[in-house]
Amino acid sequence: MAEEERRDNYSADNIQVLEGLEAVRKRPAMYIGDVGVKGLHHLVYEVVDNSIDEALAGHCNKIDVFINVDNSITVIDNGRGIPTAMHTKEKKSALEVVMTVLHAGGKFDKDTYKVSGGLHGVGVSCVNALSIALKATVRREGKIFQQEYSIGKPLYDVKVVGESTETGTEVTFKPDGTIFDSTEYNFDTLAARMRELAFLNKGITISLTDNRVTDEEGNHPTTMYHSEGGLKEFAQYLDRNREALIPDVIYFEGERENIPVEVALTYNNSYTENIQAYVNNINTHEGGTHLSGFRRGLTNTLKKYATDSGMLAKEKIEIDGDDFREGLTAVVSVKVQEPQFEGQTKTKLGNREVTAPVSQAVSEMLSAYLEEHPAEARLIVEKVILAARARHAARKAREMVQRKNVLSGSGLPGKLADCSEKDPAACEIYFVEGDSAGGTAKQGRDRHFQAIMPLRGKILNVEKAMQYKIFENEEIKNIYTALGVRIGTEEDSKALNLDKLRYHKIIIMCDADVDGSHIETLILTFFFRYMKELIENGYIYIATPPLYQVKKGTKSEYAWNEDQRDRLISDLKGGGSESSVNVQRYKGLGEMNAEQLWETTMNPESRTLRQVTIDNAAECDQIFSMLMGDDVPPRREFIEKNAKYAKIDA
Ligand code: 0RA
């Protein structure tokens, strides 16, 4: 009886296991976010996270990542090795359980809790389910153990394949091409995450090697990431292209109320605020309780210092929270046992108990610093006062905009050709470079759901301007009013009232030339700095007009790159007969007529829109400040390095 019952349970468990991984293959996006480039890279993070956990538990200090020739990935660590003994409940090797049971992660070691674990924290079994091939190799107890799988199913029982005096885990997986849109890994994307992980987990050495590339000596490019200073070095890295206001990074590392807290902050001469907040190594774009704690600690401590110093005495204006964060670069990292992630993109920390420890840590480190560095403290307070004055000027400008809107009927900018549909989810707005292309777009659009707003010339570079200048700028005011969102709230000068947003597709449409890309970058910089929520919610898109029209007689087709163009030319030429094929290079949107623009770029049936996303928030901040800043050499280097991803016009 007992025997029979156990057998039944065992087979039931087994079925559950199979269903588990099949569910991952049926709805991969539910487990890894999406099946695009992001999801593909997420697989690597998931595997590396397991090694990071082993490192955080104090058993591993080196992680090597390889992109192999076939775009498979190998991750090797020098930890204890995943246990291979029989798992009593599952009746199979623990290794097999970890690799084939959803969420089995580190469950059977009660002392190690999973504090890392990528955004979705789904475990390596998900990666296994989504891989056409995966091989796990474990070195421990003097032996080398191995097991291979295909789409999550073991090909054989765990076996011993050799002897070794070393310990560690090695996983090689090849993502399933029938699941992912693309299976090609991007070195820079992985590099940015490995660098971030090295800063967030000081002392660990992470290497990334691209085996797809070989130099003259037969070597593959390798980058090593290692940080002894942790977040202190991370803050310096984030500010590497900015001019420092104070020479130091103010730093705290420790535990408060059982919560590990690490914080670094410094000030630069810019007007932007750059706070990167992490929970269990995950970048929490939407902030949360740890960020509130940081802000509270910063504001209270600086306010007290400024008041006590007497520097505020002659100021008639009220200083508020924002003023303390102009030119601030900071990184906050906490490790939370049971994080509650909230918000639109599940990147907002909800745990109330985290606020006080972070706030305390910031107060302690900052008050000590201010006491010991009166000259630097003075520089910071002076900058805060300047920010407060500028904010008052900005508010006046803002009130002007809002008043103007109330007065002028619909409140919409005169240049906006609005659509008739009112449901934001169905509405699109095109921001079009130049009045002439704007005119064509107005003729070509479907006025039912597409609104057109021409932007004249180059919009303001918000990276270089003070806030009040930004809110005085005509084009920027028009963008705000067309979108229907308010400029800030009383509590938070940068928060957007998304419920008033009038369009859920905001499409930037520029010429496919150098000026066009510059304007595109300026607009994106503005969205990134002042309306980041729009990007985070996936509302921002870039239109992709064609680069060529290939014509023969009455037949005409469009091409978006040289390959397509050449293929069209040879198709239209047919069997090699005499060439009357006409190729037109579109330089600007204005060269297309309304019908062509609709067909190629605006018709939802035939157009291609590129959605703008933030893959790595820390990296993104840095890239914008560098692209739009004063320092030329890093910009040139970036452009040269990324030129291969852009279209080059011969
Ligand atoms: C649980 C227990 C033990 C090791 C691990 C998990 C482990 C998992 C991964 C995943 C990638 N690398 C890893 N390294 C270790 C070991 C328990 C023991 O030896 O006593």
Side-chain angles (χ1 to χ4, degrees), residues 258-509:
N258 273 330
I259 295 174
V261 179
E262 194 181 348
V263 193
L265 73 85
T266 187
Y267 280 91
N268 59 60
N269 275 337
S270 81
Y271 308 111
T272 47
E273 163 189 334
N274 179 16
I275 309 177
Q276 303 294 336
Y278 294 84
V279 177
N280 302 351
N281 293 333
I282 299 160
N283 191 306
T284 37
H285 301 247
E286 296 174 280
T289 51
H290 55 329
L291 186 62
S292 307
F294 174 86
R295 287 181 169 170
R296 184 185 299 172
L298 183 89
T299 303
N300 291 350
T301 311
L302 278 179
K303 206 170 216 166
K304 180 169 188 314
Y305 183 90
T307 310
D308 293 353
S309 72
M311 286 172 74
L312 292 187
K314 46 187 180 305
E315 292 302 318
K316 287 183 202 71
I317 46 179
E318 183 72 18
I319 312 270
D320 84 9
D322 278 352
D323 304 327
F324 295 101
R325 300 194 296 270
E326 223 178 76
L328 171 76
T329 291
V331 192
V332 184
S333 170
V334 293
K335 302 270 160 68
V336 181
Q337 292 225 19
E338 281 177 47
Q340 304 298 314
F341 290 112
E342 304 168 350
Q344 291 267 2
T345 54
K346 291 270 172 270
T347 56
K348 182 175 184 182
L349 185 70
N351 305 53
R352 302 252 146 242
E353 74 278 12
V354 179
T355 306
V358 178
S359 163
Q360 267 174 37
V362 173
S363 296
E364 276 173 42
M365 73 167 191
L366 191 56
S367 40
Y369 177 86
L370 296 172
E371 288 307 323
E372 289 159 23
H373 300 80
E376 285 78 13
R378 196 174 180 83
L379 285 175
I380 296 173
V381 176
E382 277 166 3
K383 173 138 179 122
V384 170
I385 292 173
L386 267 181
R389 289 194 196 132
R391 183 174 49 80
H392 280 263
R395 172 178 300 181
K396 277 206 190 111
R398 221 157 50 207
E399 283 165 359
M400 295 284 283
V401 180
Q402 254 125 34
R403 205 161 38 239
K404 199 175 109 198
N405 289 345
V406 174
L407 293 179
S408 64
S410 75
L412 294 171
K415 296 203 300 177
L416 173 74
D418 206 6
C419 53
S420 54
E421 172 66 48
K422 291 291 170 241
D423 174 13
C427 292
E428 306 181 343
I429 183 169
Y430 281 79
F431 287 114
V432 187
E433 170 186 357
D435 286 335
S436 132
T440 313
K442 281 179 192 176
Q443 286 168 24
R445 68 175 173 151
D446 181 335
R447 63 179 59 242
H448 187 65
F449 67 97
Q450 293 180 317
I452 308 292
M453 167 98 164
L455 294 177
R456 195 176 321 116
K458 304 209 162 163
I459 81 159
L460 191 72
N461 180 350
V462 298
E463 204 62 36
K464 285 189 184 171
M466 290 178 83
Q467 230 192 63
Y468 76 95
K469 286 272 182 214
I470 294 164
F471 295 132
E472 277 173 5
N473 182 276
E474 235 10 84
E475 297 291 10
I476 285 176
K477 282 195 284 195
N478 283 340
I479 293 177
Y480 272 104
T481 42
L483 293 179
V485 293
R486 233 190 0 251
I487 310 170
T489 61
E490 279 310 312
E491 311 89 66
D492 184 343
S493 75
K494 282 170 195 152
L496 276 195
N497 52 340
L498 278 183
D499 53 317
K500 289 287 190 314
L501 182 67
R502 304 176 62 246
Y503 316 89
H504 283 189
K505 280 206 171 71
I506 299 160
I507 302 163
I508 304 169
M509 187 158 74

Side-chain angles (χ1 to χ4, degrees), residues 45-264:
Y45 309 153
E46 202 59 54
V47 176
V48 170
D49 276 335
N50 290 304
S51 302
I52 295 273
D53 278 335
E54 182 69 355
L56 292 178
H59 302 290
C60 158
N61 62 7
K62 191 152 177 13
I63 303 170
D64 298 302
V65 181
F66 300 86
I67 310 172
N68 301 312
V69 179
D70 62 350
N71 271 293
S72 66
I73 297 283
T74 299
V75 178
I76 306 177
D77 71 46
N78 65 349
R80 292 167 296 178
I82 299 177
T84 51
M86 214 45 122
H87 191 256
T88 44
K89 185 169 158 271
E90 300 279 351
K91 294 265 189 329
K92 42 182 115 157
S93 162
L95 174 62
E96 182 170 333
V97 175
V98 168
M99 289 297 165
T100 58
V101 181
L102 223 42
H103 293 292
K107 256 186 193 162
F108 45 97
D109 188 353
K110 288 198 190 69
D111 299 331
T112 54
Y113 60 88
K114 203 170 164 60
V115 288
S116 104
L119 183 52
H120 302 271
V122 287
V124 69
S125 62
C126 270
V127 178
N128 197 8
L130 301 175
S131 295
I132 194 66
L134 185 145
K135 179 158 90 182
T137 307
V138 170
R139 291 174 178 80
R140 59 182 279 149
E141 296 153 15
K143 299 195 179 78
I144 305 175
F145 300 88
Q146 199 162 77
Q147 189 170 34
E148 289 176 71
Y149 320 79
S150 179
I151 58 169
K153 295 177 181 138
L155 301 184
Y156 49 81
D157 287 344
V158 173
K159 64 182 179 190
V160 174
V161 296
E163 294 182 0
S164 175
T165 52
E166 291 174 6
T167 67
T169 303
E170 174 174 340
V171 172
T172 297
F173 66 93
K174 185 167 166 52
D176 187 343
T178 66
I179 300 262
F180 292 94
D181 296 339
S182 152
T183 48
E184 182 161 341
Y185 277 103
N186 180 304
F187 183 89
D188 290 341
T189 303
L190 293 180
R193 176 62 180 159
M194 297 311 132
R195 182 187 298 116
E196 186 179 42
L197 282 172
F199 282 131
L200 289 166
N201 305 282
K202 60 183 180 184
I204 307 180
T205 303
I206 307 177
S207 76
L208 177 64
T209 305
D210 196 341
N211 286 333
R212 299 168 302 183
V213 182
T214 312
D215 67 14
E216 298 93 51
E217 282 112 61
N219 298 316
H220 308 297
T222 295
T223 319
M224 295 276 232
Y225 303 99
H226 175 92
S227 171
E228 280 302 317
L231 298 194
K232 191 173 186 141
E233 285 172 13
F234 198 177
Q236 275 163 345
Y237 175 81
L238 291 175
D239 262 359
R240 69 194 181 283
N241 297 320
R242 294 193 173 110
E243 200 182 316
L245 180 75
I246 56 169
D248 323 272
V249 176
I250 307 166
Y251 180 70
F252 172 94
E253 194 217 357
E255 232 176 67
R256 287 291 173 273
E257 296 174 27
N258 273 330
I259 295 174
V261 179
E262 194 181 348
V263 193

